[in-house]
């Protein structure tokens, strides 16, 4: 009897050892595959960035950054495109960030889980997030330019086309619609990281719901909110398709001085140089340099997000 028990115990230990070995092998294999996949992605990104830096660094100069394009855009700089991109990004942020943040606060703090209205908003947000960017451009052309713009002109400027044509305002509003779902989702996820007990403790001490949101929820999730906002804005700064129909100009050597004017954009300028220039080969250095500037603008926004998040976390830990 004792011999049988000993044999069973030995077999059980052997099976447990084999099962543990299989788990370790499976874990090592999964770690190796995911690590290799991450390494491939990083290598691709590094290769692209290095090739852009090598191709555009020699063309990048102060004159290139501060002059307008000339000679059919085969010489000169990209100053109007830089100004147009920055202006459009600022206007887009003013339109998308406040409305997206308020919507996210409503969904996470006020809306009932069974609310049909909240479900409809989430369905709309998810639908907007899955729509191709070119569709936003067509929507902006039909709704902002053709419907709202021409409606304003028919009332305020009879016989004159002022708002019923592509301009920086309609392009910024279209880009605001594109980035708003990203803002809503990122802000809502950041707010949800605040423990429910903190809200309950604040309400138990006599604070109102708005005071709890303003002094507990938002400060505690501010780093995540800012990170999501800036990442959404940096994505919008690099999008081109929606502005093709709503505001970007093929060639405009002057910066826009009114919201009803068209503007040059870095991404669209790269597209024009690469596909519609009179001598595409001659513009290759300009394409690399313009891409390098656009990447620098996008990376700067991402770096700002990282620095803000680190400082807010540090202040929260020491405050």
């Amino acid at each position: 009897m004792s011999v049988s028990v000993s044999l069973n115990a030995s077999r059980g230990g052997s099976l447990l050892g084999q099962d543990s070995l299989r788990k370790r092998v499976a874990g090592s294999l999964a770690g190796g595959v995911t690590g290799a996949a991450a390494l491939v992605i990083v290598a691709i990104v590094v290769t692209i960035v290095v090739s852009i830096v090598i191709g555009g660094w020699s063309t990048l100069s102060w004159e290139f950054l501060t002059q307008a394009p000339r000679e059919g855009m085969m010489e000169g700089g990209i100053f109007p495109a830089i100004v147009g991109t920055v202006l459009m990004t600022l206007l887009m942020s003013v339109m998308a960030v406040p409305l997206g943040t308020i919507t996210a606060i409503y969904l996470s703090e006020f809306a009932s889980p069974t609310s049909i209205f909240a479900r409809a908003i989430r369905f709309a947000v998810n639908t907007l997030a899955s729509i191709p960017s070119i569709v936003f451009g067509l929507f902006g052309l039909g709704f902002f330019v053709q419907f709202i713009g021409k409606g304003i002109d028919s009332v305020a400027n009879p016989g004159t086309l002022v708002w019923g044509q592509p301009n920086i305002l309609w392009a910024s509003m279209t880009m605001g619609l594109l980035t708003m779902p990203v803002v809503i989702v990122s802000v809502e996820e950041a707010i949800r990281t605040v423990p429910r007990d903190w809200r309950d403790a604040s309400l138990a001490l006599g604070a109102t719901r708005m005071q709890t949101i303003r002094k507990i929820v938002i400060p505690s999730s501010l780093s995540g909110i800012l990170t999501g906002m800036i990442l959404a804005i940096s994505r919008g700064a690099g999008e081109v398709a929606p502005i093709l129909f709503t505001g970007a100009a093929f060639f405009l050597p002057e910066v826009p001085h009114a919201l009803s004017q068209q503007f040059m954009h870095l991404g669209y300028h790269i597209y024009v140089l690469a596909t519609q220039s009179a001598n595409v080969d001659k513009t290759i250095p300009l394409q690399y340099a313009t891409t390098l500037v656009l990447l620098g603008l996008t990376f700067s926004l991402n770096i700002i997000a990282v620095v803000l998040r680190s400082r807010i976390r540090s202040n929260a830990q020491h405050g």
Side-chain angles (χ1 to χ4, degrees):
M1 184 65 180
S2 61
V3 173
S4 176
V5 171
S6 177
L7 288 174
N8 289 334
S10 176
R11 290 174 181 173
S14 177
L15 290 174
L16 288 175
Q18 292 178 0
D19 186 57
S20 177
L21 179 61
R22 282 196 295 269
K23 288 181 178 179
R24 286 199 297 269
V25 172
S28 300
L29 184 61
V33 171
T34 54
L39 187 62
V40 169
I41 293 173
V42 172
I44 293 173
V45 173
V46 170
T47 302
I48 294 174
V49 172
V50 169
S51 64
I52 292 173
V53 172
I54 293 174
W57 187 256
S58 59
T59 307
L60 202 61
S61 64
W62 179 250
E63 289 75 17
F64 180 74
L65 297 175
T66 57
Q67 292 182 355
R70 60 178 186 273
E71 302 297 333
M73 293 187 291
M74 288 185 288
E75 293 184 7
I78 56 172
F79 180 69
I82 294 175
V83 175
T85 304
V86 172
L87 286 177
M88 189 216 67
T89 304
L90 291 176
L91 289 172
M92 174 194 71
S93 305
V94 169
M95 296 169 187
V97 171
L99 188 57
T101 303
I102 293 172
T103 304
I105 292 174
Y106 167 76
L107 291 175
S108 59
E109 298 297 320
F110 292 98
S112 169
T114 58
S115 170
I116 296 178
F117 182 59
R119 290 183 179 179
I121 294 176
R122 286 198 170 90
F123 176 78
V125 170
N126 294 331
T127 303
L128 286 175
S130 61
I131 293 176
S133 57
I134 189 70
V135 178
F136 280 93
L138 295 173
F139 171 79
L141 175 64
F143 182 71
F144 293 122
V145 179
Q146 298 293 330
F147 180 68
I148 295 182
K150 289 191 174 180
I152 294 174
D153 284 342
S154 63
V155 175
N157 310 295
T160 306
L161 204 61
V162 178
W163 296 101
Q165 60 184 350
N167 58 51
I168 191 170
L169 178 62
W170 302 142
S172 301
M173 295 186 74
T174 304
M175 294 302 296
L177 287 177
L178 175 70
T179 56
M180 195 178 297
V182 182
V183 175
I184 293 173
V185 172
S186 60
V187 173
E188 189 177 3
E189 289 299 322
I191 290 176
R192 287 184 183 279
T193 60
V194 180
R196 174 60 58 182
D197 294 343
W198 294 10
R199 297 175 176 83
D200 295 338
S202 176
L203 296 173
L205 291 173
T208 64
R209 178 171 288 187
M210 285 303 298
Q211 289 173 330
T212 301
I213 293 172
R214 185 162 54 88
K215 297 188 176 182
I216 302 296
V217 176
I218 292 180
S220 301
S221 57
L222 189 58
S223 62
I225 292 174
L226 291 176
T227 302
M229 287 180 179
I230 295 177
L231 292 179
I233 292 169
S234 63
R235 183 213 168 179
E239 284 283 353
V240 176
I243 64 174
L244 292 177
F245 311 106
T246 55
F250 181 88
F251 173 70
L252 189 65
E254 298 179 354
V255 298
H257 58 271
L259 294 178
S260 59
Q261 290 188 331
Q262 287 188 279
F263 66 103
M264 290 190 74
H265 185 274
L266 288 171
Y268 187 47
H269 187 59
I270 296 169
Y271 169 77
V272 170
L273 291 178
T275 61
Q276 302 179 40
S277 174
N279 189 345
V280 174
D281 292 336
K282 188 177 180 180
T283 64
I284 289 178
L286 299 178
Q287 296 175 37
Y288 273 110
T290 308
T291 306
L292 183 58
V293 173
L294 183 58
L295 281 180
L297 178 64
T298 306
F299 286 168
S300 298
L301 290 173
N302 290 333
I303 292 172
I304 290 173
V306 173
V307 172
L308 283 176
R309 183 176 58 188
S310 301
R311 287 192 175 185
I312 291 173
R313 283 180 178 175
S314 177
N315 292 335
Q317 291 174 354
H318 296 88

